[in-house]
Every structure is written in C-alpha cells, then in structure tokens.
Amino acid sequence: VLACAAMLRALLVFLATLTPMQSAYVVAWSHGRPDMAGDLIAICRRESRCQPIGLHAGDADRDPSDGWRGQVRLGHLRPICQPYRPDTWSTRGAWGLWASAHWRYLPPCYQAAWLDVPLVSAYVAARKWLERCDGQRRRGWCHTRARSVVG
C-alpha cells in the first residue's frame, strides 16, 4: 500500500510539472482525441505564447467582480469557499480562461489559481474545445489564428 501511495504521489508531482504543450498532448490523448492537441496548442500560443502563466496582466484592470458576482448569483460559485479578491477571478492560465466562468468543468469550491496549473488549464480548455469548437465554425476563443498576446 505504501509503495502504491508513493507511486501515485510521484505521478501527481510529474503531472503537475508538465509544460502547457505537454499538457495539451496528455489531455488530448486522455480524451481519446489526439487530433485536438494541435488546436489546443494553437489556442495556447495565441493566449500566452504557451507559457505557464497565472493572471493575464492585460485583463487584470477589467472588473472581474462582475463575472464573479453573476456566477455567485446563479449559484455556480460559493462565496464561502470562493471569495472575491481583486486580481483573482479574471483571465488565467496558458489557455486564457476566465476563472469565474469555467465552473462547469471544475469541482465545487475550486480556486481560480488552479487554472494556473498547465494540466488543469489544459483539461478545462479541452472540455471547452469539445463543447464549443469541435466541428463548429472557429470564432471567439475557438479560433486558432495567431494574434498579439497582451499580458
């Protein structure tokens, strides 16, 4: 039992240290859709140059409390375990995901900073891609054309 726990711990540490590009491949493979890795990487490059980042500085001056308050009102976020703090619930991670808006892909009481972990952000991006982009017209977040990165 101890050997299994040590192996599991080592696997989790390894997965937590993956780069955004490696995370895109792991997540695409785990969803049985290796074909989506290219699009995930293109979106990652557009949003962060595929660098592991936290809060997107270019979006930090927006008022993220609007999104947070709306999600609290709808019952998707819980202020008791997901309190509002400035520069927290805005755009985060290598895939440029709005922290307060991706509750459907994460467990209850998730913390915004979880999206800063490349594997977590890649998982959420893959779920979003499968739901919004797969076989659809590429608009908004789904488009894979490069643009200048802010932040």
Side-chain angles (χ1 to χ4, degrees):
V1 173
L2 290 178
C4 284
M7 285 176 37
L8 182 58
R9 190 174 320 122
L11 177 62
L12 291 174
V13 167
F14 169 75
L15 291 173
T17 60
L18 293 176
T19 67
M21 282 184 126
Q22 293 166 330
S23 296
Y25 285 108
V26 167
V27 168
W29 176 83
S30 73
H31 278 81
R33 293 292 307 271
D35 59 303
M36 85 170 136
D39 279 357
L40 290 176
I41 289 169
I43 293 167
C44 181
R45 283 184 175 144
R46 180 192 74 218
E47 293 293 335
S48 69
R49 295 186 182 99
C50 236
Q51 296 300 307
I53 62 173
L55 182 73
H56 288 226
D59 292 339
D61 14 342
R62 292 184 185 174
D63 186 5
S65 68
D66 288 343
W68 180 86
R69 268 194 294 271
Q71 295 299 335
V72 167
R73 202 172 349 179
L74 292 170
H76 300 145
L77 296 178
R78 299 177 178 129
I80 193 83
C81 59
Q82 295 166 304
Y84 175 76
R85 286 187 301 280
D87 296 337
T88 300
W89 292 97
S90 188
T91 309
R92 302 190 74 96
W95 277 268
L97 301 167
W98 191 257
S100 62
H102 290 87
W103 53 267
R104 73 177 60 79
Y105 309 115
L106 293 163
C109 288
Y110 73 91
Q111 300 303 299
W114 291 7
L115 291 172
D116 302 348
V117 178
L119 188 64
V120 174
S121 194
Y123 171 80
V124 172
R127 297 293 307 272
K128 182 176 181 178
W129 185 90
L130 287 167
E131 190 176 284
R132 291 177 148 188
C133 310
D134 191 20
Q136 307 293 319
R137 262 185 89 208
R138 303 299 173 88
R139 294 182 303 216
W141 182 84
C142 297
H143 82 80
T144 55
R145 294 181 314 276
R147 68 170 176 159
S148 62
V149 177
V150 180

